[in-house]
Amino acid sequence: MKRILALLLPVIVLAVLVGGGIALMTALKPPVEKAEEQPRGLSVFAEAAEQTDLNMTVNAQGEVRPKRQIVVAPQIAGRISYVSPDFLDGGFIRQGQVLVRLESADYELAVTRARSAVASAQQVLAREKAEAEIALQDIRDLEIEDASPLARREPQLAEARANLNSAEAALADAQLGLDRTAVTAPFTGRVRERSADLGQFVSPGQALGTIFATDVVEVSLPLSDEDLGRVGLPLAFAETRDNPGPQVTFRANVAGQPREWQGRIKRTSAAINPQTRLINAIAELEDPYGAGTDDGVPMAPGLFVNAAIEGRSIENVVRIPRSALRGVNQVYVGDGPAGKLEIRSVEVAFSDDDGAYLNSGVEAGELAIVSPIQAAFDGMNIQVVERMPDGSLVPRTPRSGSDEETEETSALAAGNIEGANQ
C-alpha cells in the first residue's frame, strides 16, 4: 500500500498543479469583446424634391394645311387663249389676277346681238308709250268714261316693257358669259398645281389647277381627353375675343435647321374620332409667308410639325425626377439620417421627360430614390447618395453607430462616389 501511494503521489501533485494553472489562466483571461457590426444598407442614388410652379404643356403632331384651298375651274366652255406666267406650280398670285383667259369671240358676238335686241325693244316701248298717250288723249276728247284697258293700250305697253326687260336680261347674260372668259384668283395665295395649258379646250367645271390662300394655315392636333384637361379646353371650343385659345409653338426641321413658329388654338373639331377616340384641336398661324415666318422660313402646307400647346398653370407642386416615379403613383423616399427606405403613394398632377409633379405624398427637400431596387419594402436598410443640382454626389449616412464608424462609412461612400464620378 505504501508503495502504491509512493507511485501515485507525484502524479496526483502534477495533475493538481496543471489543473490549478489552467484554472488560474482562465480566471485571469480578459473577457472577449463582441463587435456589434450593423449590416451595411444598399447604396442608392436619390435627388431632393423641390417645390415649384407648374406650367403644363401638351405635345402633339400634325400636318400643315391651308385654311382655304380651291380647285380653279371655268364656268363656261372654250379654248384657252392665255395663261398667266404666275399660274404655275409654286407661283404667287394676287386677288383678282387673271389666271386663265378663254377665247371670247363667240361671247362678244352674243353681247352684240343682245345689245341689238335691247335697242329694238327700247324702240318698241317708246312707240307704244307714244301710242298710249295718243289713245288717252282721244278718250279725253271723246269724253269716254268707261274706256277699256285695251283702248288705253295698257296691255300693249306692258308687253313692250316686258320685251325690253327680257332683252336687257339676255344682254346681261351675254355680258356675264363674256366676263367669265377670264378666270381670276379669288384670293391672294400660291399655286399648288396646274392641270391645263394654252390651247386646251375646257368644259364648264373642268379643273385647271389648285390654289390656296396664304393668309392663314392650320394644323389639326389630335388630343386625348386627358390632354384636353391639361390644356383646359372644352369639347366644343371656339375662340372669341374674351376667351382666346392657348398658345402653340410649332417646331420642325427645314433644310437641316430647326425652325419655330408661334400660333394659337382656334377651335376644336365637331366630333370625336370614332377610330382613335381622340378629338382634333385646330391651331392656326397667320401670315405664314410674311410676318409669321421664322427668319424668312415659312411654315408651308404639307410640312409635318411638332406642336407644344400651352396648358394650365398649377402653383406649389413638388417636382421629382421622372425616374423616381414607380408605376402609376408610388415613390421610394430615402431617409438619409435613419438609413431606411419608405414607400409612399403620391398624387401625380403631371409628368413629362423633365420630371413628375406631385400634389401630395412627398414634401420639398425629401430624397426621392432614382436607383432601381428589386423587392423593395418599407424599412429596408439603404445608404443614400444624393445627386446635387450641379451633378455632384453627396453621401447621406445614418446617425446610428459610433463616430469612428460613421466617419469610416462616410469615407468609404465618398471613395465610391469619387470612383463613380470618374
Side-chain angles (χ1 to χ4, degrees):
M1 190 67 180
K2 291 180 180 180
R3 184 178 295 178
I4 294 172
L5 291 174
L7 294 173
L8 294 176
L9 183 59
V11 176
I12 294 172
V13 172
L14 182 59
V16 171
L17 291 176
V18 172
I22 293 173
L24 181 61
M25 291 177 63
T26 303
L28 295 177
K29 183 179 179 180
V32 178
E33 296 183 2
K34 296 182 179 180
E36 297 181 0
E37 182 179 355
Q38 296 290 337
R40 183 172 297 167
L42 177 67
S43 295
V44 295
F45 291 108
E47 293 187 25
E50 58 181 0
Q51 189 168 10
T52 184
D53 295 333
L54 171 62
N55 296 317
M56 289 190 289
T57 58
V58 173
N59 296 317
Q61 296 175 326
E63 181 182 355
V64 182
R65 65 188 184 191
K67 187 175 182 180
R68 291 185 294 168
Q69 177 174 293
I70 64 168
V71 175
V72 179
Q75 294 180 272
I76 59 174
R79 190 177 303 278
I80 298 176
S81 61
Y82 167 81
V83 177
S84 170
D86 296 327
F87 187 50
L88 74 170
D89 295 356
F92 286 87
I93 55 176
R94 303 178 308 278
Q95 183 177 6
Q97 180 180 356
V98 176
L99 303 179
V100 173
R101 192 183 298 277
L102 305 181
E103 292 180 348
S104 59
D106 294 339
Y107 299 96
E108 290 173 352
L109 292 175
V111 170
T112 302
R113 287 193 295 267
R115 285 175 177 168
S116 176
V118 168
S120 177
Q122 288 175 341
Q123 186 270 337
V124 172
L125 178 60
R127 186 175 64 248
E128 287 296 334
K129 285 182 178 179
E131 292 181 358
E133 290 178 359
I134 293 173
L136 290 177
Q137 186 62 40
D138 291 341
I139 291 173
R140 285 194 294 268
D141 292 343
L142 297 174
E143 297 181 353
I144 301 175
E145 297 181 356
D146 55 348
S148 65
L150 187 61
R152 295 195 296 268
R153 301 193 66 82
E154 292 177 358
Q156 295 87 333
L157 186 59
E159 181 182 10
R161 288 194 177 116
N163 289 335
L164 176 60
N165 292 336
S166 177
E168 289 175 343
L171 174 60
D173 182 66
Q175 185 64 51
L176 185 61
L178 179 61
D179 294 340
R180 286 174 175 172
T181 58
V183 181
T184 60
F187 46 70
T188 298
R190 297 195 69 181
V191 180
R192 170 161 278 185
E193 62 177 356
R194 190 182 73 185
S195 54
D197 211 336
L198 189 68
Q200 181 177 347
F201 185 88
V202 294
S203 57
Q206 181 177 339
L208 304 178
T210 303
I211 62 175
F212 63 87
T214 54
D215 55 345
V216 178
V217 292
E218 61 183 20
V219 183
S220 292
L221 302 173
L223 301 179
S224 64
D225 184 69
E226 183 179 359
D227 292 336
L228 287 176
R230 291 174 179 174
V231 177
L233 287 177
L235 281 176
F237 172 77
E239 184 184 54
T240 62
R241 179 176 297 180
D242 298 330
N243 185 26
Q247 291 282 347
V248 182
T249 300
F250 302 104
R251 296 183 178 90
N253 287 333
V254 180
Q257 297 292 327
R259 297 296 179 180
E260 188 173 293
W261 304 271
Q262 299 296 325
R264 185 183 295 277
I265 297 291
K266 293 294 185 177
R267 63 191 185 279
T268 56
S269 57
I272 297 175
N273 189 312
Q275 280 76 35
T276 62
R277 309 310 303 169
L278 302 177
I279 188 167
N280 288 334
I282 313 301
E284 293 184 0
L285 172 67
E286 297 183 357
D287 198 7
Y289 289 86
T293 63
D294 178 14
D295 195 20
V297 178
M299 194 172 81
L303 188 66
F304 195 79
V305 295
N306 296 314
I309 307 173
E310 182 183 77
R312 296 185 296 112
S313 297
I314 303 177
E315 297 180 352
N316 298 327
V317 293
V318 175
R319 179 196 171 278
I320 62 173
R322 182 64 181 83
S323 57
L325 188 63
R326 317 283 172 154
V328 178
N329 63 342
Q330 284 192 338
V331 174
Y332 296 166
V333 177
D335 186 351
K340 302 294 183 182
L341 180 143
E342 184 179 353
I343 300 177
R344 297 188 189 175
S345 295
V346 297
E347 181 184 350
V348 182
F350 178 71
S351 65
D352 57 15
D353 294 338
D354 295 331
Y357 300 86
L358 313 178
N359 286 326
S360 63
V362 176
E363 299 294 332
E366 292 186 312
L367 299 178
I369 298 174
V370 297
S371 300
I373 302 177
Q374 296 183 353
F377 57 90
D378 275 323
M380 180 178 181
N381 290 328
I382 56 174
Q383 180 178 315
V384 177
V385 179
E386 182 181 358
R387 191 184 302 274
M388 305 304 290
D390 60 359
S392 62
L393 304 177
V394 177
R396 294 294 183 93
T397 57
R399 291 198 186 99
S400 59
S402 64
D403 294 340
E404 295 180 356
E405 291 174 348
T406 301
E407 293 177 0
E408 181 182 356
T409 305
S410 300
L412 180 60
N416 293 335
I417 293 169
E418 184 176 353
N421 287 331
Q422 295 176 353

